[in-house]
Each structure stands twice: as structure tokens, then as C-alpha cells.
């Protein structure tokens, strides 16, 4: 069967057409076309995603991308398709449409849903609403090109989803069963990266920028934190991370000396690391960076890199620590790390070290870490074959911004 999948939950408009066969355990996918349009350049000006602007761009891009995707699949043979308002388009061989219906920005989600509904009605095919987070969990099994099959997987699976909107630890006893066992109480990981980057006047999205600075410093071997003559480093992270480190009072923060000594002194808390549950919190860490920057005043490039390095270390340490704790408690056989932040090199390295060789650790390929419609097509197909008889009426499908797994 041929699936057309649509993703518009945030600032990426994406459409995929795939040929799919097989059942839940042995599905085989072949990408026929995969096209997308990132709005990052447009949102950079605002330092974050501006929902109404995202909506406008999705509305503009969807018909263009559909035209490109259909042209790539060469259906119908040799004909150039024009998808314009009011024009009729015969079903070019699509059997099923999958669309993200949440979580995400509602105005953005609606654009994809309205578009998908129109096509599904015109082409008389079922429409499957897909939970974007389920897509991220399946993304490590996908490929951005060619053919791929869902391999045999040992359960239970633990998924760490880290993106601009989410930070969640999810337990799966079997395919398509999800239980959230931990999540962020405030900012998502990617959001914290973006906000800290903004404090240092780095462009949006901040995650890759912070990561670049931190990696460069690591590679240059400059991260040696000095003789600690100021006595700040000798205070263990424990001191700055109380049981539930949410919002630090300035007195809990490391004493920050003059800029000249900064290299030797930057230390940030590892939030919630000693809490007994699997929840996260990044707003305290973000506030700690804010106080630090206020005290320092003007940041030079070296100071920015030092802050980026310590911030990234703090975030990654926390994510890895909680994941390993959950892995042990739930006797996990496979660990998945997915979502936009999962392409972070330091996170990948540290997670590999911590998980060890006995447990399977899966990351998506780089092209599938961020939002994409391949993962939506995969999730759409698996849901369709699982619930064939319970396909929702097209008119009952609604955008659900705060949808949970
Ligand atoms: O999954 P995604 O593309 O969109 C959402 O659904 O949110 O994730 C985007 C987030 C942004 O916050 C971005 O800064 C972050 O992922 N990100 C990174 C890196 N690349 C992207 N964060 C840390 N390190 C990276 N290398
Ligand atoms: Zn996402």
C-alpha cells in the first residue's frame, strides 16, 4: 500500500510518500518521495517559533511540497501535476494518509490536518491521526532514503525523547504501548538549549550553536578546569543540586569571580540528579546560567564557549543519569534516544558509554532526529494495521496541542 504522510507540528513542513507492506512485526517501507521545508530562517528573527507565522508558511508550502512529492513518485506516469486552489487532483495511487495531530503548536497542526482531510475526502482514502511523539520513538528504525524494515527488537524498551517541546522517559512493554515514567517539570531540553543560547546572543535554534562551541572547546583540550584556586570546583555538583532543584536562590549558586578567572570557575548544577523519580527540570539550570551571565557582564567568545561546555555537560549528565537509573529499575533491553536533541554528539557519546554493550542503544540517523514525515508515515501505517476496524471518521480528527502518549 502507498502512504502519504504529513508533518506540520512546529516549524517544518514535510511530506513523504512510502510504499509499505508487512505486518506489525515485519513491516517493510520504501521511500518513494520525501520533501520538506524548514522555516528556521524565518523564525530566527524572532528567536523562536512564532505560531502564526508557522501557520502561514505551512499553508503556503503544503501544496508546493505535495506537487514535488507526487512528481518524484512519477504518479501518474509522466504527467506534471499542478496542485492549486480549486483544481481537482485525481488520486495518484495513494491508499492511506497519515497526519500529525499533536502535540505541537495548534495553529500549525491544523494546517496539516485541514490539508490532509481535504485530500482524504477527495481521494476517498482513510486518514490516520498520528501522535508526533510516537513518530519520534519509531524514528531510529527509519531511513531517509531507500528501503528499510523494522528489525526484531528486545522488549522492554526505554525511550528518552528530547526535543524543543519535550523531555520524556517512556517505558514500552511491547510495540505501541507507552507509559510515561518521567518528564520535565518545566522547560524541555531543546528549549533550555535555545534559551541559554539566546542569553549569549547565539542564533536560533540554540542547541546546535551551543553544541558547536562546546565540542570545539573539548576538541581543543581547553576544558581543563584549572587549579581551582578559587575553591569553586571542589564543591561537588551535589551541593548545587538539592533534592528537587527547581529554581536556585543566588546563594546556592557557585561564586563567580572576575572574568579573568572564569575558565577556572564555571560550574553549573546537575538538576534533579538526586531526586528519586525520573522527572527532569531545566529551568533552575537556565536561571543559574542567567545569574552567571549577569555577574560576568560582557561575554567574550572564550567565556561563551566555557558556559556552553559546562551547560551541555550539566544537561547531558542529567539525561544520562536518569536514563540509566530507569534502565536498571525497569530491566530494560533496548534504549532509544530520539527527538531534535538526540543528534547532540556529547549526548550520544556519553549515553553509549553509560548504557554499555549488553543493551541495544538506538539513535535515529541525523536526518531523522528532528521533525520529519517519514516517522509519521511509519507510525501511521503501524496504527492502521493495528486498528484497521477503528479508523476515525475524518471529521472527528482535531489538532490536540497538548496530546500525550
Ligand atoms: O524534535 P525537534 O526538531 O522539534 C521539536 O519537536 O521540538 O527539536 C528541536 C530542538 C531545538 O530546541 C534545537 O535547539 C534542538 O532540538 N537541537 C539540539 C541540537 N540540534 C537540535 N540541541 C542540542 N544539541 C544539538 N546538536
Ligand atoms: Zn518533534
Amino acid at each position: 500500500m502507498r502512504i502519504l504522510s504529513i508533518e506540520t507540528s512546529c516549524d517544518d513542513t514535510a511530506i513523504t510518500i512510502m510504499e509499505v507492506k508487512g505486518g506489525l512485526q515485519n513491516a517493510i517501507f520504501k521511500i518513494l518521495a520525501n520533501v520538506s521545508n524548514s522555516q528556521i530562517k524565518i523564525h530566527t528573527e524572532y528567536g523562536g517559533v512564532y505560531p502564526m507565522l508557522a501557520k502561514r508558511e505551512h499553508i503556503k508550502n503544503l501544496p508546493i511540497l505535495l506537487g514535488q512529492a507526487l512528481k518524484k513518485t512519477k504518479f501518474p506516469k509522466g504527467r506534471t501535476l499542478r496542485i492549486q486552489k480549486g483544481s481537482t487532483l485525481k488520486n495518484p495511487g495513494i491508499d492511506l494518509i497519515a497526519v500529525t495531530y499533536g502535540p505541537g503548536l495548534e495553529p500549525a497542526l491544523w494546517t496539516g490536518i485541514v490539508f490532509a482531510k481535504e485530500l482524504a475526502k477527495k481521494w476517498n482514502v482513510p486518514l490516520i491521526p498520528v501522535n508526533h511523539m510516537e513518530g519520534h520513538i519509531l524514528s531510529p528504525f527509519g531511513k531517509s532514503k531507500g528501503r528499510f524494515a523494522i528489525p526484531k527488537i528486545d522488549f522492554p524498551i526505554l525511550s528518552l525523547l528530547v526535543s524543543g517541546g519535550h523531555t520524556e522517559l517512556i517505558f514500552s512493554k511491547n510495540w505501541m504501548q507507552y507509559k510515561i515514567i518521567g518528564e520535565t517539570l518545566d522547560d524541555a531540553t531543546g528549549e533550555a538549549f535555545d534559551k541559554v543560547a539566546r542569553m549569549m546572543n547565539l542564533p536560533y535554534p540554540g542547541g546546535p550553536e551551543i553544541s558547536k562551541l562546546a565540542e570545539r572547546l573539548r576538541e581543543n583540550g581547553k576544558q581543563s578546569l584549572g587549579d581551582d584556586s578559587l575553591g569553586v570546583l571542589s564543591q561537588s555538583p551535589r551541593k548545587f543540586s538539592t533534592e528537587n532543584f527547581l529554581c536556585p536562590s543566588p546563594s546556592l549558586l557557585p561564586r563567580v569571580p572576575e572574568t579573568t578567572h572564569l575558565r577556572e570557575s564555571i560550574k553549573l548544577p546537575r538538576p534533579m540528579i538526586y531526586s528519586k523519580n525520573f522527572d527532569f527540570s531545566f529551568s533552575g539550570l537556565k536561571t543559574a546560567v542567567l545569574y552567571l551571565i549577569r555577574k560576568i557582564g560582557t561575554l567574550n567568545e572564550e567565556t561563551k564557549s566555557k558556559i556552553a561546555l559546562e551547560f551541555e555537560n550539566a544537561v547531558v549528565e542529567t539525561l544520562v543519569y536518569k536514563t540509566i537509573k530507569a534502565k536498571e529499575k525497569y530491566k530494560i533491553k533496548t534504549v532509544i534516544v530520539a527527538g531534535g536533541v538526540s543528534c547532540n554528539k556529547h549526548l550520544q557519546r556519553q549515553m553509549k558509554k553509560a548504557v554499555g554493550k549488553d543493551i541495544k542503544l538506538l539513535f535515529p540517523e541525523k536526518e531523522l532526529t528532528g521533525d520529519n514525515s517519514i516517522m509519521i508515515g511509519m507510525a501511521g501505517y503501524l496504527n492502521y494495521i493495528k486498528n484497521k476496524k477503528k479508523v476515525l471518521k475524518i471529521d472527528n480528527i482535531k489538532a490536540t496541542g497538548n496530546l500525550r502518549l
Side-chain angles (χ1 to χ4, degrees), residues 51-64:
M52 296 321 275
L53 207 55
K55 173 182 165 175
R56 192 191 73 191
E57 289 300 305
H58 288 312
I59 291 173
K60 191 178 83 195
N61 292 330
L62 280 166
I64 298 169

Side-chain angles (χ1 to χ4, degrees), residues 11-23:
D11 57 351
D12 290 288
T13 324
I15 293 187
T16 302
I17 300 178
M18 294 192 282
E19 181 92 51
V20 193
K21 60 182 180 191

Side-chain angles (χ1 to χ4, degrees), residues 4-15:
L4 177 110
S5 51
I6 300 171
E7 158 63 36
T8 61
S9 67
C10 192
D11 57 351
D12 290 288
T13 324
I15 293 187

Side-chain angles (χ1 to χ4, degrees), residues 7 9-10 103 132-133 136 162-166 339-340 369-372 375:
E7 158 63 36
S9 67
C10 192
H132 181 85
M133 305 316 284
H136 275 305
V162 271
S163 70
H166 291 82
T369 52
D371 293 345
N372 65 85
M375 66 184 195

Side-chain angles (χ1 to χ4, degrees), residues 1-5 18-29 95-99 128-130 134 138 150 176 374-388:
M1 87 163 16
R2 266 177 218 130
I3 301 185
L4 177 110
S5 51
M18 294 192 282
E19 181 92 51
V20 193
K21 60 182 180 191
L24 256 186
Q25 316 279 325
N26 59 350
I28 297 175
F29 299 80
D95 304 297
L96 180 73
I97 300 178
V99 66
I128 302 291
V130 172
E134 182 167 35
L138 293 170
I150 300 215
M176 326 198 57
I374 293 177
M375 66 184 195
I376 302 306
M378 293 166 69
Y381 177 68
L382 297 183
N383 275 291
Y384 177 68
I385 51 176
K386 192 177 168 218
N387 302 313
K388 239 182 215 168

Side-chain angles (χ1 to χ4, degrees), residues 274-292:
Y274 296 102
S275 72
K276 291 197 178 73
N277 56 30
F278 299 110
D279 288 335
F280 302 91
S281 163
F282 294 107
S283 80
L285 176 59
K286 183 189 68 188
T287 312
V289 177
L290 183 70
Y291 283 126
L292 186 67

